């Protein structure tokens, strides 16, 4: 198996990096690929959402300098429980709060800040070294293949049209019990796309060596099979 070598620790790491915009299907695909391969799964968006929730609870913090200071001491814990990524804020399991629309909007805003990205990229690489060594780690986000794990042996860039992505996210919110309006979801995803693509730091981009997976007309089974095939191809 071709492996990613973390230069700082010289530990061989098996990383599958999946990037793409909101609603492109990367979370469900990444989770299933990890299941099939017996790898760990790291959703980096959860971490940005965790920081966003923490900051929403600190409305007095406005300047990036204050954010940096807060992050140095924030009681936010990111751990694996078995193979499930868990986030605790001051001891509270915050996973049920992370899909709130207010948290989604705030996550894209805080993801532009250098202080936030530096803290989370460091945390992601540490998890990559610790959990990606064996059996492997599927990582998913906006900058996994371009910035966090540029030497990952398998990189996938997932896309889908805005309409399809908005409908998927709307259905997901409804199934989770949120009151959702499709037009609002579409506008919010379009705004997040803009922020993610246009920001100065780690903008959403396809890595030059990533394979594009357009999921507009693709079943979940086919998406998973495509990614798993890329990983298996590395083993021969
Ligand atoms: O993937 P998800 O929608 O949960 O991510 C929430 C937000 O966090 C995104 O809109 C994006 O702005 C940010 N993010 C990021 N880099 C990542 C993962 C997420 O900037 N690697």
């Amino acid at each position: 198996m071709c492996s990613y070598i973390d230069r700082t620790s010289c530990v061989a790491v098996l990383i599958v990096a999946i990037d793409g915009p909101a609603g492109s299907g990367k979370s469900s695909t990444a989770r299933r690929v990890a299941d099939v391969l017996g790898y760990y799964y790291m959703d980096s968006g959860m971490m940005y959402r965790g920081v966003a929730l923490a900051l929403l609870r600190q409305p007095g913090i406005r300047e990036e300098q204050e954010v940096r200071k807060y992050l140095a001491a924030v009681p936010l814990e990111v751990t694996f429980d078995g193979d499930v990524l868990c986030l605790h804020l001051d001891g509270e399991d915050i996973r049920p709060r992370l899909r709130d629309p207010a948290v989604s909007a705030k996550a894209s805003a805080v993801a532009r800040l250098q202080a936030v990205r530096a803290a989370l990229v460091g945390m992601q690489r540490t998890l990559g070294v610790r959990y990606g060594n064996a059996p492997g780690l599927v990582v998913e986000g906006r900058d996994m293949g371009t910035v966090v794990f540029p030497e990952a042996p398998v990189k996938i860039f997932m896309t889908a049209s805005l309409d399809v992505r908005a409908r998927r996210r709307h259905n997901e919110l409804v199934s989770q019990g949120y009151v959702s309006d499709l037009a609002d979801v579409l506008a919010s995803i379009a705004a997040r796309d803009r922020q993610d693509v246009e920001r100065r730091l780690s903008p959403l981009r396809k890595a030059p060596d990533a394979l594009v997976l357009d999921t507009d007309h693709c079943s979940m089974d086919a998406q998973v099979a495509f990614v798993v095939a890329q990983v298996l191809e590395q083993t021969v």
Side-chain angles (χ1 to χ4, degrees):
M1 172 79 177
C2 180
S3 60
Y4 162 75
I5 305 294
D6 181 279
R7 292 209 177 87
T8 52
S9 66
C10 287
V11 174
V13 180
L14 311 180
I15 301 278
V16 180
I18 303 181
D19 289 307
S24 56
K26 54 189 194 316
S27 298
S28 321
T29 306
R31 194 176 297 117
R32 293 244 332 248
V33 168
D35 274 353
V36 170
L37 295 170
Y39 284 15
Y40 283 94
Y41 160 56
M42 182 182 86
D43 173 357
S44 63
M46 262 177 76
M47 300 183 192
Y48 287 91
R49 287 170 183 271
V51 169
L53 180 66
L55 289 170
L56 280 171
R57 291 180 178 178
Q58 304 287 331
I61 297 183
R62 295 186 184 283
E63 302 298 323
E64 183 163 1
Q65 199 49 37
E66 294 170 310
V67 171
R68 189 186 306 277
K69 218 165 128 194
Y70 175 67
L71 285 180
V74 64
L76 181 69
E77 268 186 10
V78 182
T79 53
F80 277 101
D81 178 10
D83 59 358
V84 178
L85 191 66
C86 299
L87 258 78
H88 288 89
L89 180 59
D90 220 356
E92 173 193 346
D93 180 357
I94 53 171
R95 284 172 299 172
R97 302 258 59 83
L98 298 181
R99 293 279 151 193
D100 284 1
V103 174
S104 300
K106 182 78 172 176
S108 290
V110 303
R112 285 181 297 181
L113 303 177
Q114 203 273 339
V116 172
R117 298 211 78 85
L120 293 187
V121 168
M123 204 180 270
Q124 289 153 12
R125 287 187 178 143
T126 301
L127 289 170
V129 170
R130 191 174 307 156
Y131 295 98
N133 188 22
L137 183 67
V138 181
V139 295
E140 171 250 301
R142 305 292 189 288
D143 59 347
M144 296 295 103
T146 49
V147 174
V148 185
F149 300 109
E151 295 176 56
V154 176
K155 294 183 191 174
I156 309 288
F157 189 81
M158 293 185 63
T159 62
S161 65
L162 180 59
D163 277 355
V164 167
R165 293 187 287 123
R167 198 165 290 281
R168 280 182 192 153
R169 190 46 59 89
H170 168 72
N171 291 340
E172 186 185 305
L173 287 168
V174 170
S175 74
Q176 290 170 351
Y178 289 102
V179 176
S180 175
D181 176 81
L182 181 58
D184 287 350
V185 173
L186 193 140
S188 131
I189 289 191
R192 286 173 57 201
D193 280 358
R194 248 191 327 276
Q195 286 191 329
D196 288 347
V197 169
E198 291 175 2
R199 72 178 173 226
R200 189 174 55 83
L201 297 169
S202 304
L204 172 65
R205 294 261 187 285
K206 175 185 132 13
D209 52 346
L211 295 168
V212 175
L213 176 53
D214 185 331
T215 66
D216 257 5
H217 306 289
C218 205
S219 71
M220 181 55 65
D221 283 351
Q223 291 164 36
V224 173
F226 176 85
V227 180
V228 169
Q230 304 313 313
V231 178
L232 296 181
E233 211 166 272
Q234 300 287 326
T235 64
V236 291

